[in-house]
Amino acid sequence: IYVVKGSSPSSSDYTQPATSGSECYDSDGGKNYNVKGTCSDANTKNMQDMCLDVNKLLEWYCYNDRCFYEERTCYCKEGRCV
């Protein structure tokens, strides 16, 4: 599992869903804070976006064929910002 805190890859690196044949897949297509998704790669399986608390989202996304996550401050409900 790869953790990104503070700086993160540029937006162009994660806005597109993983392509067929790549080693990473994010069901919500990247950093999509308003949709609950699941990220899987060669080492990480079914990591779901989730609320750490009512004001913090843990968002999984693909970068360089690996799953990463970031924490986002928002009103969080059922694994997404609302």
Side-chain angles (χ1 to χ4, degrees):
I1 298 173
Y2 297 84
V3 179
V4 175
K5 282 195 151 189
S7 63
S8 63
S10 71
S11 61
S12 63
D13 293 327
Y14 56 76
T15 54
Q16 298 298 318
T19 58
S20 177
S22 70
E23 294 186 31
C24 187
Y25 175 75
D26 181 359
S27 67
D28 65 8
K31 289 188 180 183
N32 189 346
Y33 307 111
N34 303 108
V35 176
K36 182 177 181 177
T38 303
C39 188
S40 295
D41 65 26
N43 301 311
T44 307
K45 304 294 182 211
N46 301 318
M47 301 307 294
Q48 292 187 2
D49 299 342
M50 62 183 283
C51 298
L52 296 176
D53 61 42
V54 72
N55 293 310
K56 192 163 287 189
L57 171 71
L58 184 73
E59 174 70 17
W60 287 91
Y61 63 97
C62 291
Y63 176 70
N64 285 342
D65 293 329
R66 299 283 183 230
C67 289
F68 288 81
Y69 71 81
E70 76 167 16
E71 295 177 7
R72 179 158 179 99
T73 301
C74 66
Y75 177 70
C76 191
K77 184 175 180 182
E78 298 175 358
R80 62 188 182 93
C81 292
V82 293

